[in-house]
Amino acid sequence: MAIQEILVPDIGSFKDVEIIEVLVNVGDTINVEDSLITIESDKSSMEIPSPAAGVVKEVKVKVGDRISEGSLVVMMDVTDGAAAAPAPVAAAPAAPAPAPAPAAKPEPRPQPVKSPTAAVQSEAAKLDFSKAYATPSVRKFARELGADLNKVTGSGRKGRITQEDVKAYIKDVMSMGGVPGRGAASGNTLGVAPMPDIDFSQWGEIETVALSRINKLTGEFLHRNWVHIPHVTQFDQADITDLEAFRKQLNEENAKSGMKITPLVFIMKAVVAGLKAYPRFNSSLDAKGENLIRKHYYHVGVAVDTPDGLVVPVIRDVDKKSIMQLSEELKAISGKARDKKLKPADMQGGCFSISSLGGIGGTKFTPIVNAPEVAILGVSKSDIQPIWNGKEFAPRLMLPLSLSYDHRVVDGAEGARFTTYLAKMLGDIRRLLV
Ligand code: CAO
């Protein structure tokens, strides 16, 4: 044991910066890399970690003091001899972030297995929070709950992440049926090298734009589903020439009411017919992957494009609603989504999702299954094609369908049967009545 001065290490271009937090008290037992103080410049904040383990004997700084490299922070009764050289520091940039300096990435400490949440905590312990703008107590809180701080949007001063922000993030993740921290951690569990941290400004002018909360959450779920679900996408097309003529007629008849019917509502009805004919598509795998939970209700999620990102509100009991009711509900719920008024419950309980890009364009795409559902239908823009009718080529309006499904639940043959069935229903919508 020896009393040792703990000094501010090399902190790059930071000089004469203000201390905004003192994170230790006399008598505290400190481990190597525990943060001692937080300093803040105009652009970012930074935590100064302890290069040594021991007991704090004297705190030599207070909030508001200004420090530079070499300033004395604490006197410590050192128990771990690794103290001699001050450790490099990990910067926590505020938005907009400056080009990050190469940051030391402390090895995560092993987490004792104590509770059912230990696995999630241990995954969170592996995450690198060095760029998250949060105090040590908030970092600790996030690790305890297994939350990935990199995905939390800060509401504090200069975008600092508060404990409340972590709680709100956990609430959002849970309400969408997820596990905090798992999304990002899943990349690590594959043993894949992390994405490199690149300074793009070396090649030209750049700007940094923060992802919205929806972007972050959606990204986490898409990543999780992409990694966990063995996807197959089946392509097909439906002849909607007659359906389109009927839809146009309905729209003309309803012109005064202002109600517009799009192809999507007919597709929803055809999907429900498909779910009834092929019930494996209306199921979910249980958590152990040993049983299928078959649903006897027909709630369909519809992907809605909003300025803040993709959301998938659910329209309930599609089997029990008319084309007009579905049109009204689709209009209302997509409006609610774009006005950011959806509640978590509006996005839960779906059996199957539809992602329609038909109003935009494209010929086909491969949507990602919206787990715990087992399939999703992508719809692209219809166009007129020459179709052989046995005697000649006739111009027909063809609708491209892209069905992605979880291959653990649905076989390829069943996938092809489902799209063939959809095409048959959409080709002659009278069949939806049978
Ligand atoms: N082929 C050709 N035209 C189509 C079409 C199709 N498959 N689907 C819709 N259209 C037409 C509509 O009839 C409408 O035409 P008019 O204005 O002439 O009447 C126009 O395209 C716009 O339709 P819309 O997009 O407003 O309405 P919708 O009912 O088809 O879709 C909604 C509603 C909320 C699903 C849609 O607005 C949306 O947000 N789509 C994007 C979904 C998305 O981002 N998916 C990707 C997720 S990642 O997998």
Side-chain angles (χ1 to χ4, degrees):
M1 290 244 200
I3 306 290
Q4 189 170 322
E5 290 184 336
I6 303 295
L7 309 179
V8 174
D10 175 7
I11 46 175
S13 56
F14 286 79
K15 277 196 184 77
D16 196 31
V17 280
E18 188 183 342
I19 296 177
I20 58 163
E21 269 168 313
V22 176
L23 304 162
V24 292
N25 293 305
V26 172
D28 285 356
T29 301
I30 303 294
N31 292 311
V32 176
E33 297 292 349
D34 280 357
S35 297
L36 300 173
I37 54 174
T38 309
I39 57 176
E40 188 169 65
S41 74
D42 292 347
K43 290 185 185 149
S44 67
S45 78
M46 182 186 284
E47 289 172 12
I48 307 293
S50 175
V55 177
V56 176
K57 289 291 164 192
E58 220 178 321
V59 179
K60 293 289 196 183
V61 289
K62 58 182 186 315
V63 170
D65 285 357
R66 303 188 83 84
I67 54 150
S68 304
E69 181 182 347
S71 300
L72 177 59
V73 183
V74 295
M75 301 298 294
M76 190 185 288
D77 196 353
V78 174
T79 52
D80 181 335
V89 294
K105 294 194 172 62
E107 285 295 311
R109 293 184 197 100
Q111 299 281 303
V113 178
K114 285 179 187 158
S115 69
T117 58
V120 174
Q121 288 177 351
S122 122
E123 281 181 15
K126 289 180 208 149
L127 297 174
D128 176 8
F129 290 168
S130 61
K131 295 209 175 66
Y133 186 31
T135 62
S137 59
V138 171
R139 285 159 193 266
K140 186 162 173 276
F141 182 65
R143 288 201 194 279
E144 279 169 5
L145 295 184
D148 182 355
L149 267 191
N150 301 310
K151 300 208 165 77
V152 180
T153 307
S155 65
R157 201 161 73 96
K158 293 187 184 174
R160 178 186 289 269
I161 299 168
T162 66
Q163 195 155 316
E164 291 312 309
D165 296 329
V166 177
K167 283 185 195 163
Y169 169 79
I170 297 279
K171 213 167 137 192
D172 282 345
V173 172
M174 304 300 278
S175 73
M176 291 174 77
V179 179
R182 276 278 162 87
S186 60
N188 296 337
T189 56
L190 286 179
V192 178
M195 299 298 279
D197 190 359
I198 297 169
D199 175 11
F200 293 95
S201 67
Q202 62 187 303
W203 297 298
E205 196 182 330
I206 59 164
E207 65 174 319
T208 302
V209 183
L211 288 178
S212 70
R213 206 162 61 127
I214 290 178
N215 286 155
K216 287 183 186 176
L217 279 172
T218 309
E220 180 156 350
F221 285 111
L222 290 173
H223 186 192
R224 181 196 69 181
N225 296 348
W226 179 253
V227 167
H228 281 282
I229 299 173
H231 280 74
V232 174
T233 305
Q234 171 73 41
F235 302 107
D236 209 332
Q237 49 183 359
D239 182 338
I240 58 163
T241 315
D242 297 340
L243 186 161
E244 193 60 5
F246 180 54
R247 185 182 75 86
K248 281 193 174 144
Q249 184 189 328
L250 281 181
N251 276 339
E252 277 166 22
E253 286 168 13
N254 290 288
K256 278 193 190 144
S257 73
M259 176 49 61
K260 195 173 79 177
I261 300 166
T262 63
L264 187 52
V265 283
F266 291 99
I267 296 167
M268 289 165 70
K269 280 288 193 190
V271 159
V272 167
L275 297 178
K276 287 183 175 173
Y278 299 97
R280 281 181 92 85
F281 284 87
N282 199 25
S283 70
S284 288
L285 271 175
D286 71 3
K288 288 185 184 156
E290 289 175 0
N291 300 294
L292 273 186
I293 316 292
R294 282 201 173 162
K295 296 154 201 169
H296 298 294
Y297 50 85
Y298 300 91
H299 304 335
V300 175
V302 177
V304 178
D305 175 36
T306 79
D308 283 333
L310 172 72
V311 288
V312 189
V314 174
I315 298 188
R316 283 167 214 285
D317 299 316
V318 172
D319 55 320
K320 296 178 186 151
K321 291 176 180 162
S322 69
I323 290 290
M324 298 307 278
Q325 280 172 314
L326 290 174
S327 295
E328 275 168 27
E329 206 168 321
L330 182 62
K331 189 178 170 202
I333 202 137
S334 51
K336 212 170 156 186
R338 287 173 181 137
D339 293 342
K340 302 184 193 176
K341 294 205 170 121
L342 286 180
K343 299 202 174 74
D346 292 327
M347 290 177 277
Q348 291 168 349
C351 304
F352 181 103
S353 292
I354 302 177
S355 175
S356 174
L357 295 174
I360 301 170
T363 53
K364 43 180 93 77
F365 64 108
T366 54
I368 296 177
V369 172
N370 186 18
E373 298 163 17
V374 297
I376 179 169
L377 181 70
V379 180
S380 299
K381 193 173 176 59
S382 58
D383 71 338
I384 294 186
Q385 292 177 25
I387 300 294
W388 184 252
N389 64 13
K391 290 185 197 152
E392 59 189 352
F393 282 103
R396 304 295 293 177
L397 186 65
M398 304 303 289
L399 178 74
L401 305 172
S402 309
L403 175 81
S404 292
Y405 55 85
D406 184 337
H407 209 352
R408 294 170 302 176
V409 178
V410 176
D411 293 335
E414 190 98 324
R417 280 189 199 108
F418 191 85
T419 52
T420 304
Y421 187 83
L422 282 186
K424 194 168 153 190
M425 293 295 120
L426 293 167
D428 183 354
I429 52 167
R430 292 172 307 175
R431 291 181 184 279
L432 290 171
L433 300 171
V434 181

